[in-house]
Amino acid sequence: GDSVTQMEGPVTLSEEAFLTINCTYTATGYPSLFWYVQYPGEGLQLLLKATKADDKGSNKGFEATYRKETTSFHLEKGSVQVSDSAVYFCALNLPGGTASKLTFGTGTRLQVTL
Amino acid sequence: KAGVTQTPRYLIKTRGQQVTLSCSPISGHRSVSWYQQTPGQGLQFLFEYFSETQRNKGNFPGRFSGRQFSNSRSEMNVSTLELGDSALYLCASSLYQAKEETQYFGPGTRLLVL
């Protein structure tokens, strides 16, 4: 079935370091891909999305490119801040359906220290 | 525009009881989805409602049910609570005007079953 695989966390970085969180997916079609972020005690916030191959989503300095050939959607940021500490979820919508049925990865916790 | 709101934010119940959670979507959004988040299973899709009809359903027992009202507000109900139902329940809404419509999440209701 459709699935999303994320790198295990926690990822611990110093402020201003470069961030990569790997995400790969398995799907029977061409899904839309999303990154959501969850801060402690809160719900999920959409960080960025991409709806077709080679699309690049970007927001708040974060970027991810939809790579159909490697079925990947890795999240990157050039310089992380302490305020970026959170759990990051990669997700896809089921192809051929609606965006209402998201399949999530297990989440990657990011800790940024001074 | 106000975001997705969920009530109550926290709830404590005992085994065997039932519980009803409420979700008010973003104004104009007609699709409401529910997810369960636990440390062990991660984020799992429960069901989705659109125009008062359940359109998608995840792999949860019949103890989990929901409904949607004409104003798009939604409720989910869990009957005969079990310890394993302790989780963060997240509601998300979307416009549903395109296949890749984005879901916006509320802050969640944290349920503890004792």
Side-chain angles (χ1 to χ4, degrees):
Chain A
D2 302 298
S3 64
V4 175
T5 301
Q6 287 183 238
M7 60 189 290
E8 290 283 333
V11 174
T12 303
L13 296 173
S14 298
E15 199 169 49
E16 299 183 2
F18 184 85
L19 168 71
T20 299
I21 299 178
N22 291 336
C23 170
T24 57
Y25 68 89
T26 301
T28 53
Y30 303 102
S32 294
L33 301 172
F34 305 83
W35 277 101
Y36 283 87
V37 58
Q38 186 173 36
Y39 297 99
E42 297 185 12
L44 300 178
Q45 296 179 23
L46 176 69
L47 185 56
L48 52 84
K49 70 177 184 180
T51 59
K52 60 183 186 298
D54 299 324
D55 266 2
K56 177 185 283 189
S58 61
N59 185 28
K60 300 180 181 179
F62 291 90
E63 292 183 341
T65 301
Y66 190 142
R67 302 287 188 198
K68 187 163 73 79
E69 63 276 13
T70 55
T71 62
S72 65
F73 193 54
H74 305 321
L75 182 67
E76 297 182 335
K77 186 176 185 183
S79 176
V80 294
Q81 305 300 310
V82 171
S83 57
D84 294 327
S85 299
V87 181
Y88 293 80
F89 292 91
C90 184
L92 63 80
N93 73 325
L94 296 179
T98 73
S100 63
K101 190 173 180 178
L102 289 166
T103 298
F104 286 92
T106 53
T108 302
R109 182 175 301 278
L110 170 65
Q111 296 175 327
V112 182
T113 59
L114 290 171
Chain B
K1 188 182 274 191
V4 178
T5 58
Q6 294 186 244
T7 56
R9 292 292 309 276
Y10 303 93
L11 208 47
I12 300 175
K13 293 286 187 179
T14 56
R15 278 181 299 173
Q17 288 186 309
Q18 74 165 18
V19 67
T20 299
L21 313 181
S22 180
C23 171
S24 293
I26 293 171
S27 178
H29 285 197
R30 298 170 63 193
S31 169
V32 174
S33 299
W34 289 89
Y35 295 83
Q36 181 195 65
Q37 185 178 25
T38 60
Q41 300 299 316
L43 280 154
Q44 294 185 287
F45 173 77
L46 279 156
F47 30 64
E48 184 239 354
Y49 286 85
F50 178 78
S51 291
E52 302 178 64
T53 300
Q54 187 181 87
R55 195 166 55 173
N56 285 307
K57 190 178 190 310
N59 295 323
F60 279 82
R63 298 185 297 107
F64 292 81
S65 63
R67 59 177 175 169
Q68 186 180 33
F69 301 95
S70 59
N71 61 358
S72 294
R73 189 177 70 85
S74 177
E75 291 181 345
M76 69 163 280
N77 183 276
V78 187
S79 62
T80 318
L81 283 165
E82 302 178 358
L83 296 179
D85 296 333
S86 295
L88 179 66
Y89 290 89
L90 293 163
C91 166
S93 75
S94 66
L95 271 171
Y96 189 59
Q97 288 185 344
K99 170 179 172 290
E100 67 273 10
E101 194 58 62
T102 301
Q103 292 189 56
Y104 297 90
F105 284 81
T109 294
R110 189 166 297 279
L111 171 65
L112 177 62
V113 182
L114 301 175

